[in-house]
Amino acid sequence: MPEFAAHASPSSAPVSSPRPQYPSHAIPDFELSSEHDHDGSETLPPTITSPAFTPPATPGTGTPALERDAKSIPVDPQFQEGPPPRLLETLPEVFCEARARIPPTIAKIETMFLHVYRNNLDNKEHLAIVFGPDIRSESLNAPRPGDTEHQRMIRGAYEGRLYPGRTTSKLSRVEQIQQESGVGRNPESHSKAPLVRIHSECYTGETVWSARCDCGEQLEEAARLMSLPQNMATGGVIIYLRQEGRGIGLGEKLKAYNLQDLGNDTVEANLLLRHPADARSYGLATAMLLDLGLGGERGIRLLTNNPDKIRAVEGPNREVFVKERVAMVPLAWQTGGKRGVQGEDVEKYLSTKIMAMGHMLSSR
């Protein structure tokens, strides 16, 4: 039986974690390294895969769209601060069950597709939100026993766009000629790596307007960046993993919120519930990216502040190459508090992510 992380929480007593000193003003820049923890602190428990079920989440609305691109930071594949994250020895098996065009409310674009994935590790429906026409699922488009053209169109294994009366999943001869000649195709479509965001489900931050975190804002910012004309040319993907509460589930997450109101930070709250500080796993994300054709040397630009996520997403054998990191700076920091999620709760949350979890966040 392959060795991968357990689905249950550790039975050992919680490990102590230093409590950061929260500033009374906006968090300044931090120089981050593996030595940022207080002396004497113990190593946090390793990550585990998420529970077998979490409720669905609907992306929220309300983050203003700003017509600006984000700054990319080159990633040195040889550089690794601290111990590497624990990775699955082999990637899980994934296959795309269905795909459909989604007309978005947040941007004036026509080519955004939602993909639903199944896998051999859990019973959840993990998602891939794909921007642009050129990123396609290999497992979805592969022939299946008894396939008909109608069945292929129903599951989303078609080229171009569906319309009433269409009878084939393939492009018409005219459309094929246009595609082969590059008509309507941006010449920069392969000049840079596509944007990718690995986003974990957050029902509270995306659906019930919670100001305890900036998860909903990050999801919308990722979609905004991928819908910019200069990024639509290369395409983009948001991998939406169903691992609520950093992998502990919604019920346990609400208990952690109560512990935070009693004076603990987000890391301490998880530990007091006998969960790891971060119980997420990214093997499924790596496998989904490979299925979407985003493996190999071309690389991706990863939207993240989490240094562990960079190495984890690349996979056990570096199946995916993270070429650049794009920082996810809170909107309130970018606008001097004029926009974005604000308040004491989210400032404490961000401070803990920086000081106790090593996230690379800056106000600039």
Side-chain angles (χ1 to χ4, degrees):
M1 180 176 180
E3 183 179 354
F4 47 83
H7 288 269
S9 301
S11 59
S12 59
V15 179
S16 63
S17 174
R19 180 179 302 177
Q21 297 298 315
Y22 302 118
S24 58
H25 55 280
I27 301 172
D29 295 351
F30 288 85
E31 291 295 327
L32 298 169
S33 68
S34 58
E35 288 82 22
H36 62 79
D37 288 332
H38 296 284
D39 291 337
S41 64
E42 299 181 45
T43 303
L44 298 179
T47 58
I48 59 174
T49 52
S50 52
F53 174 78
T54 52
T58 302
T61 59
T63 303
L66 304 177
E67 293 303 321
R68 68 187 187 288
D69 203 353
K71 180 181 178 181
S72 293
I73 305 166
V75 173
D76 183 356
Q78 305 301 322
F79 180 74
Q80 175 73 54
E81 280 194 359
R86 189 182 68 167
L87 304 177
L88 301 178
E89 293 183 3
T90 58
L91 292 175
E93 298 176 7
V94 300
F95 72 95
C96 184
E97 182 177 29
R99 159 186 177 264
R101 181 181 64 88
I102 304 296
T105 60
I106 58 174
K108 294 181 178 180
I109 58 175
E110 295 184 1
T111 48
M112 188 178 85
F113 293 89
L114 180 63
H115 299 61
V116 174
Y117 275 85
R118 297 285 188 178
N119 68 88
N120 64 337
L121 290 186
D122 60 39
N123 295 320
K124 301 177 185 180
E125 294 180 323
H126 299 276
L127 311 174
I129 307 167
V130 175
F131 294 76
D134 298 328
I135 299 175
R136 300 179 62 83
S137 164
E138 180 180 344
S139 61
L140 178 72
N141 290 288
R144 298 180 183 178
D147 246 356
T148 66
E149 287 297 295
H150 188 61
Q151 289 172 335
R152 289 183 62 82
M153 288 190 291
I154 289 176
R155 74 167 183 264
Y158 60 86
E159 299 176 65
R161 181 167 174 170
L162 296 178
Y163 50 84
R166 182 168 174 173
T167 59
T168 176
S169 63
K170 300 184 182 301
L171 294 175
S172 68
R173 181 56 183 162
V174 173
E175 291 171 322
Q176 289 178 1
I177 294 173
Q178 289 178 337
Q179 186 179 71
E180 292 169 1
S181 63
V183 175
R185 194 64 60 88
N186 191 313
E188 298 182 358
S189 62
H190 294 287
S191 62
K192 60 181 179 180
L195 276 175
V196 171
R197 167 70 181 168
I198 311 300
H199 189 91
S200 296
E201 177 181 32
C202 179
Y203 190 87
T204 51
E206 297 161 7
T207 306
V208 296
W209 315 285
S210 171
R212 288 184 184 265
C213 67
D214 62 339
C215 298
E217 180 180 294
Q218 286 187 331
L219 183 62
E220 291 190 18
E221 175 67 357
R224 184 194 70 81
L225 290 171
M226 292 179 192
S227 64
L228 292 177
Q230 59 267 41
N231 292 324
M232 281 294 291
T234 60
V237 176
I238 298 174
I239 299 293
Y240 190 92
L241 299 177
R242 314 303 287 273
Q243 41 190 12
E244 177 73 59
R246 296 203 301 274
I248 67 175
L250 184 58
E252 293 297 284
K253 178 180 179 179
L254 296 185
K255 296 176 186 177
Y257 280 176
N258 292 330
L259 285 168
Q260 290 173 38
D261 286 343
L262 290 171
N264 302 281
D265 64 41
T266 182
V267 169
E268 293 169 334
N270 276 29
L271 298 176
L272 288 169
L273 292 170
R274 299 191 176 186
H275 296 298
D278 192 340
R280 292 175 294 183
S281 176
Y282 298 103
L284 286 171
T286 307
M288 291 164 68
L289 290 174
L290 289 176
D291 182 66
L292 291 167
L294 297 183
E297 295 182 358
R298 183 187 177 193
I300 63 172
R301 293 179 292 147
L302 187 64
L303 287 155
T304 187
N305 299 320
N306 186 349
D308 286 342
K309 186 183 289 187
I310 295 173
R311 180 64 189 92
V313 168
E314 289 188 319
N317 298 305
R318 294 194 183 274
E319 290 87 349
V320 174
F321 173 43
V322 179
K323 188 175 182 181
E324 299 174 0
R325 180 182 74 86
V326 179
M328 300 291 288
V329 181
L331 190 57
W333 294 10
Q334 297 181 43
T335 63
K338 295 179 181 178
R339 298 173 180 170
V341 181
Q342 300 176 53
E344 180 182 359
D345 293 287
V346 71
E347 288 296 325
K348 288 182 178 180
Y349 169 79
L350 294 172
S351 177
T352 302
K353 289 177 76 172
I354 293 169
M355 293 189 285
M357 302 179 74
H359 285 214
M360 299 177 286
L361 267 168
S362 170
S363 59
R364 292 190 296 272

